[in-house]
Amino acid sequence: MRDPWFPIALMLIVLLGAWLGIFGPASDGFTKSLQGWQTLIAAVVAVVAVIVAFKNTDRSLAHAERLEANRRRRKHAAVRAVLPLALSQVIAYAEQSARALNDLIRKCEGETLPAGVVAESLVEPLPSETLKSLADFIEYTDTTTVEVLESTVAWIQIFDSRMRALVQHNNDPAKTWVVVRTEIEGLIVDAATIYAGVASAFDYARRRRAQMPSELLWDAVIGALRNMRLWDDEHPRVHQIVEGRRSRSVGPFERLRT
């Protein structure tokens, strides 16, 4: 868009040319009288130049902000479109991890897991593109809270670290570590927490809701356990762990904020 001061400057130039064409060069007396106003004229010109520069800069910044806002909207639309696929992959990861952990419980002898029975394949990290999709969605979402999904991504990393520690401890050549059944059951609850965290984002990802949930409650974790067919009567100890954690916090991610 052309600067609004441009026509004014152009008009002044035209008027000056007309003046010189009609009346000729200014007289010496008139020129001398202008010298007394030289400082003021210079100041006025400088102020006008600053105003013009400020308006141009302000206009450029506003244009850049509009372009950036439009770019972020398009990026958000793109990552939201592929979000259901990423969420499904995380749910499959959580279910598979819970099943593998449940198999380990069956191998326990009393309250402990025999040494050397945990395979390296227990830890199956999520594909990097899945985590990137989640990270992009978190970065480019400006109109709704993403705290639950952000906490879920953090919990995935914590869970991965705990699973790797379980493999390492159970295969420790010195046998200085003992893996207890309660530890495995706690990891099943962690897997259900991941399941519940990503499941809470499905309605927004599928455009059924305009907002994401602002918190994750323990009832959602109980629902995730049941969705994974880990029923209350068949796995009472796992559900007791959830109830124990419920007595200490409103939701599973409360610990991440303390």
Side-chain angles (χ1 to χ4, degrees):
M1 181 182 296
R2 180 177 293 178
D3 193 281
W5 288 89
F6 178 78
I8 297 175
L10 185 61
M11 185 180 297
L12 290 175
I13 293 173
V14 172
L15 289 175
L16 179 60
W19 171 276
L20 293 175
I22 296 172
F23 298 101
S27 64
D28 292 341
F30 180 73
T31 302
K32 289 180 180 179
S33 65
L34 285 179
Q35 291 179 351
W37 296 87
Q38 184 176 358
T39 302
L40 179 59
I41 293 172
V44 171
V45 172
V47 170
V48 171
V50 169
I51 293 174
V52 172
F54 175 79
K55 286 182 175 292
N56 286 337
T57 301
D58 187 60
R59 186 180 298 106
S60 297
L61 290 175
H63 180 63
E65 289 175 358
R66 287 193 298 270
L67 289 177
E68 175 62 14
N70 188 46
R71 184 187 71 85
R72 289 185 64 84
R73 283 194 297 269
R74 292 199 308 269
K75 182 66 176 181
H76 172 74
V79 295
R80 186 178 183 180
V82 300
L83 184 61
L85 176 60
L87 298 178
S88 297
Q89 290 174 336
V90 177
I91 282 182
Y93 163 80
E95 287 182 319
Q96 185 172 352
S97 297
R99 285 196 297 269
L101 290 166
N102 191 40
D103 289 341
L104 290 181
I105 290 178
R106 299 190 183 97
K107 296 179 181 179
C108 285
E109 297 176 355
E111 292 298 314
T112 62
L113 183 68
V117 300
V118 181
E120 294 284 344
S121 59
L122 178 71
V123 182
E124 291 192 11
L126 279 168
S128 58
E129 61 269 18
T130 300
L131 291 177
K132 185 179 185 306
S133 295
L134 297 179
D136 286 345
F137 177 78
I138 292 170
E139 180 180 357
Y140 290 99
T141 299
D142 301 322
T143 58
T144 183
T145 177
V146 292
E147 185 174 352
V148 171
L149 195 58
E150 183 179 5
S151 297
T152 304
V153 173
W155 203 258
I156 290 172
Q157 298 176 62
I158 294 172
F159 179 73
D160 180 79
S161 177
R162 290 174 176 174
M163 292 284 279
R164 293 180 186 279
L166 175 63
V167 174
Q168 180 181 357
H169 294 167
N170 185 251
N171 292 281
D172 179 19
K175 297 183 179 180
T176 56
W177 298 90
V178 177
V179 177
V180 298
R181 177 173 174 173
T182 303
E183 178 183 352
I184 303 172
E185 292 165 336
L187 285 171
I188 292 177
V189 174
D190 290 341
T193 299
I194 294 171
Y195 185 115
V198 295
S200 69
F202 264 114
D203 283 345
Y204 180 84
R206 292 170 175 165
R207 301 183 182 277
R208 294 173 181 170
R209 290 185 181 178
Q211 296 293 319
M212 296 269 286
S214 58
E215 62 179 343
L216 187 73
L217 304 178
W218 285 111
D219 285 342
V221 179
I222 291 291
L225 286 171
R226 291 169 179 167
N227 287 337
M228 293 188 293
R229 302 183 181 278
L230 296 170
W231 311 108
D232 314 43
D233 55 343
E234 296 178 3
H235 303 275
R237 291 175 48 136
V238 173
H239 286 263
Q240 287 170 7
I241 290 175
V242 175
E243 294 303 325
R245 295 182 183 182
R246 190 204 296 266
S247 67
R248 298 188 295 272
S249 62
V250 175
F253 297 143
E254 191 171 312
R255 287 183 290 174
L256 295 177
R257 298 191 292 269
T258 59

